[in-house]
Amino acid sequence: MFKNKFTIEQVKKHWDDVSDIYDDVNQEIGDAHYQRFSEGLSYLSLRPKDKVLNIWSRTGNAIPWLEKFGTEIVNLDVSPKMLAIAQKKYPDRNFGLTDLYKINYPDNHFDTILSLETLEHAPDPEQLLRELYRVLKPNKLAVISLPPQTAELPLKIYDFFFHNHGEGPHKFLSSKTVKQMISNAGFKLLFHKGTLLIPAGPKKLQKFGEVIINKYQKTFIREFGIRQFYICQK
């Protein structure tokens, strides 16, 4: 079983440290940040009162997207400072801390799970997937996204030249590894898609990148999209 060498305490410290710039940085990149919500929710048919687990909710940016459907949302994050910002932005919502090992909800509790850019930060990513499987209702869907292994070098280049919050302790995984972990956790993978081939620059260039990656989803080009989506069913 694959495990990372970093600890949850190291992960928590990084996101606490960058919590005050997180929203400002993501506002600068705009569409590339919010694409995780528009794309992720496009695979779901959410209904009013559905119980949704939004794991690693950060400063709560997914909340307005989810509340359009009238869902009941549980927002979990590793960073107390991120949660404090989210609670200030969205009072009276359901927030809680998580260590990405144990989710304090009963078996078969949630109708949907969103795990967007979370798996790469888990010290034990397969254990996280097993927990997601446990708390999801039978036949329901989990939407998982994370950057691919090929994104490590572009991230270093971006961090060097631009204002960014960084990723802190993480391990970007190949799609082959992610798929094996998903299977080991018990999920059935329904769909895998690479997105954001050109995440920055003129909008016409970004759109051209999406045309190319969509056309070549069954080739190696898919692996160069900086956000990979995995749609999983229990």
Side-chain angles (χ1 to χ4, degrees):
M1 183 183 296
F2 174 83
K3 292 185 180 181
N4 286 307
K5 294 181 180 179
F6 52 79
T7 67
I8 196 65
E9 287 76 19
Q10 292 171 320
V11 174
K12 182 186 298 184
K13 182 181 185 304
H14 170 78
W15 294 101
D16 273 349
D17 289 346
V18 302
S19 60
D20 59 338
I21 66 168
Y22 181 80
D23 278 341
D24 289 341
V25 168
N26 288 320
Q27 191 64 38
E28 291 174 8
I29 61 175
D31 292 344
H33 172 70
Y34 292 103
Q35 184 263 3
R36 70 186 69 186
F37 309 131
S38 59
E39 182 74 27
L41 293 180
S42 71
Y43 302 112
L44 301 172
S45 297
L46 294 173
R47 301 168 301 176
K49 302 302 182 182
D50 274 358
K51 293 182 174 65
V52 178
L53 173 61
N54 177 25
I55 187 161
W56 207 334
S57 55
R58 298 177 174 86
T59 60
N61 290 335
I63 291 174
W65 296 76
L66 289 165
E67 287 188 336
K68 293 177 183 177
F69 300 93
T71 55
E72 298 178 4
I73 315 164
V74 172
N75 303 282
L76 300 181
D77 200 90
V78 301
S79 164
K81 290 187 177 180
M82 286 281 201
L83 283 179
I85 292 170
Q87 287 174 315
K88 186 175 181 179
K89 289 164 61 177
Y90 302 104
D92 304 319
R93 305 320 198 272
N94 190 342
F95 295 100
L97 285 169
T98 178
D99 61 5
L100 301 180
Y101 287 109
K102 178 67 176 175
I103 299 170
N104 294 319
Y105 283 86
D107 296 356
N108 308 318
H109 183 77
F110 293 100
D111 297 289
T112 297
I113 293 175
L114 281 182
S115 175
L116 305 179
E117 269 79 320
T118 310
L119 196 65
E120 69 270 30
H121 300 288
D124 190 340
E126 194 166 310
Q127 174 59 28
L128 171 59
L129 287 170
R130 292 182 187 279
E131 272 294 276
L132 298 183
Y133 182 88
R134 181 185 66 80
V135 298
L136 186 64
K137 292 179 181 178
N139 301 313
K140 298 297 185 177
L141 299 183
V143 176
I144 297 167
S145 74
L146 69 156
Q149 197 171 44
T150 56
E152 291 285 8
L153 180 58
L155 172 65
K156 291 179 181 178
I157 295 172
Y158 187 89
D159 283 348
F160 183 80
F161 286 104
F162 298 97
H163 180 223
N164 194 22
H165 52 62
E167 290 298 311
H170 72 278
K171 177 70 173 179
F172 295 157
L173 303 168
S174 69
S175 63
K176 181 179 179 180
T177 299
V178 174
K179 289 174 183 178
Q180 185 60 59
M181 289 181 176
I182 286 170
S183 177
N184 291 347
F187 283 110
K188 176 183 178 182
L189 180 65
L190 299 183
F191 190 59
H192 166 218
K193 181 182 179 182
T195 67
L196 296 182
L197 185 63
I198 304 175
K203 290 189 180 297
K204 287 185 178 180
L205 184 61
Q206 293 181 50
K207 289 180 179 179
F208 175 73
E210 292 311 284
V211 169
I212 295 300
I213 198 169
N214 286 333
K215 184 176 180 180
Y216 295 103
Q217 281 292 321
K218 295 184 179 180
T219 74
F220 71 94
I221 291 175
R222 176 174 63 185
E223 300 302 313
F224 290 94
I226 68 161
R227 183 170 293 130
Q228 305 280 314
F229 282 91
Y230 303 85
I231 314 307
C232 310
Q233 184 179 46
K234 180 170 178 177

